[in-house]
Amino acid sequence: MLAAETIVYQTGNLDRFLAYGPEQHPIVLQIGGNNLENLAKATQLATPYGYDEINFNCGCPSPRVAGHGCFGVRLMLDPKFVAEAMCVISANTNVPVSVKCRIGLDDHDSYNELCDFIYKVSSQSPTRHFIIHSRKALLNGISPADNRKIPPLKYEYYYALLRDFPDLQFTINGGINSIDEVNAARMEGAHGVMLGRAAYSNPWQILGLVDSAVYGAPLRSITRRQVLEQYQVYGDSVVRMYGLKPNIRDVVKPLLGLFHAEPRNVVWKRRADAALLHCTTIKSLFEETLGEIPDRVLDAPITEVPSGSTDTFIKAKSLLPPPYTVNEEELLYA
Ligand SMILES: Cc1cc2nc3c(=O)[nH]c(=O)nc-3n(C[C@H](O)[C@H](O)[C@H](O)COP(=O)(O)O)c2cc1C
């Protein structure tokens, strides 16, 4: 996520925040904010970068973001503003727009309140796609990390939205940990599935398998060594381009899960952590540390992994809340 203000106040430095390589398409820009003028300007400034979709953040519980009067998940309490924001964003771009939200916050956690939010935003703006992190947020001071663990997941709300808003697109998110679970969610009707932490902590067995196991492409015979060779060229060019930020540690961070559950993974991570204190290029970091990983791991192609639990979504569909009915009058004066 980029705050609209970051974009608006960094006009001389936009590439650092908004540029990306052509191989990264399709790519979505997520904006956060609560000022319509800045949201409009930020969208305008981002437009030449050619993002495929602009998403508006209505799900972040971090006190830095969602603190009193700020943005993120708190905006779920103000669907009228979110609709206005989406109109403004949409008026300044030609690409699709979407909202990422939770299923509620604090004691505003009924299915009906979630539906009122979806109904108001979709009927008063061009928003047709919502990404639903299927747990509520607690703004009582728990950390953002705990806010991704403590409130229980309620996939039944997500599946009820599919039933009650058949003209909209919904992506399910939260707690989905394997490709099998992705496919199980889709089997039960999910239009899209978003993975956060699993893709980050185990990229080889999640991202490496997505094209084949989800999109039906032939399984690629690429190895981790080849991925790292390409990443090194990309990463070193990024580090050279912008000087201090992102630094080498920022650029290497997404790789740290690449050997998840493999022999010597922990040793490699420890050595990489130490080497990051003095290495100035990713090339030198790899030269110094990759010897810790056995060749058979580095040179093994991706293989299908055993399945995870897949009946979660069937169970959720047996727990759907009663259908939503719009009370136009009540909504009008709410
Ligand atoms: C380190 C970290 C940073 C995140 N940053 C964002 C963000 O900028 N915008 C957003 O909408 N969600 C953000 N999230 C939340 C994830 O998109 C996702 O909704 C959440 O982790 C639940 O999905 P998961 O169980 O698949 O991880 C972040 C999550 C993590 C762990």
Side-chain angles (χ1 to χ4, degrees), residues 1 30 57 100 133 148 173-175 194-197:
M1 178 190 72
Q30 186 185 61
N57 186 320
K100 179 154 182 272
H133 183 176
R148 292 188 284 267
N173 169 243
M194 177 186 168
L195 272 66
R197 286 164 293 182

Side-chain angles (χ1 to χ4, degrees), residues 10-323:
Q10 293 279 345
T11 43
N13 202 12
L14 282 183
D15 279 3
R16 183 155 84 83
F17 294 94
L18 292 170
Y20 58 89
E23 68 285 357
Q24 290 186 54
H25 282 291
I27 178 168
V28 177
L29 171 65
Q30 186 185 61
I31 301 183
N34 65 1
N35 176 300
L36 293 177
E37 213 175 301
N38 286 343
L39 287 168
K41 208 160 167 207
T43 310
Q44 262 171 31
L45 289 164
T47 291
Y49 288 87
Y51 283 89
D52 298 287
E53 178 173 318
I54 309 281
N55 176 268
F56 187 49
N57 186 320
C58 296
C60 183
S62 160
R64 279 193 306 150
V65 160
H68 184 68
C70 287
F71 57 95
V73 71
R74 199 173 275 278
L75 293 180
M76 287 192 76
L77 298 177
D78 193 354
K80 187 168 167 289
F81 173 81
V82 175
E84 283 169 1
M86 295 309 289
C87 287
V88 155
I89 291 171
S90 176
N92 285 282
T93 180
N94 292 321
V95 297
V97 294
S98 60
V99 164
K100 179 154 182 272
C101 61
R102 297 271 184 141
I103 56 171
L105 67 154
D106 295 334
D107 52 354
H108 301 276
D109 58 356
S110 69
Y111 177 63
N112 241 50
E113 282 167 289
L114 172 62
C115 288
D116 286 347
F117 174 79
I118 301 285
Y119 177 77
K120 281 192 187 174
V121 174
S122 62
S123 60
Q124 294 169 23
S125 81
T127 314
R128 292 290 166 271
H129 179 201
F130 292 82
I131 296 113
I132 308 289
H133 183 176
S134 305
R135 54 162 65 86
K136 72 171 175 177
L138 292 168
L139 298 187
N140 60 2
I142 65 168
S143 69
D146 281 347
N147 247 315
R148 292 188 284 267
K149 281 195 298 238
I150 292 175
L153 287 160
K154 290 192 169 191
Y155 296 131
E156 59 272 26
Y157 280 22
Y158 170 81
Y159 281 103
L161 291 175
L162 299 186
R163 175 197 63 196
D164 293 337
F165 296 90
D167 297 334
L168 300 178
Q169 291 289 306
F170 293 101
T171 292
I172 188 170
N173 169 243
I176 299 171
N177 286 321
S178 69
I179 291 286
D180 282 331
E181 287 173 26
V182 170
N183 282 333
R186 292 169 73 230
M187 284 282 286
E188 296 310 312
H191 301 140
V193 183
M194 177 186 168
L195 272 66
R197 286 164 293 182
Y200 193 77
S201 60
N202 189 4
W204 187 242
Q205 281 166 348
I206 301 283
L207 301 180
L209 286 170
V210 162
D211 289 346
S212 57
V214 178
Y215 293 101
L219 190 63
R220 291 180 68 189
S221 61
I222 194 163
T223 66
R224 277 176 272 209
R225 194 189 297 280
Q226 291 165 329
V227 169
L228 290 170
E229 279 163 8
Q230 290 179 32
Y231 197 87
Q232 181 247 301
V233 174
Y234 158 79
D236 276 334
S237 75
V238 170
V239 171
R240 273 196 309 269
M241 211 177 306
Y242 301 114
L244 288 180
K245 229 16 191 164
N247 60 27
I248 177 169
R249 191 176 283 274
D250 298 323
V251 177
V252 165
K253 217 170 160 198
L255 293 179
L256 293 178
L258 194 63
F259 300 109
H260 177 84
E262 296 287 2
R264 311 282 300 163
N265 173 42
V266 175
V267 179
W268 174 69
K269 284 215 273 200
R270 212 178 295 134
R271 272 207 70 181
D273 193 48
L276 279 166
L277 296 174
H278 57 263
C279 284
T280 53
T281 64
I282 294 171
K283 188 164 189 282
S284 61
L285 177 90
F286 287 172
E287 282 167 0
E288 186 173 324
T289 64
L290 278 180
E292 296 292 350
I293 302 289
D295 284 349
R296 67 182 165 78
V297 172
L298 279 165
D299 295 322
I302 306 174
T303 47
E304 303 279 351
V305 281
S307 65
S309 120
T310 53
D311 58 356
T312 315
F313 307 104
I314 298 172
K315 280 193 205 134
K317 283 183 78 175
S318 70
L319 298 171
L320 298 192

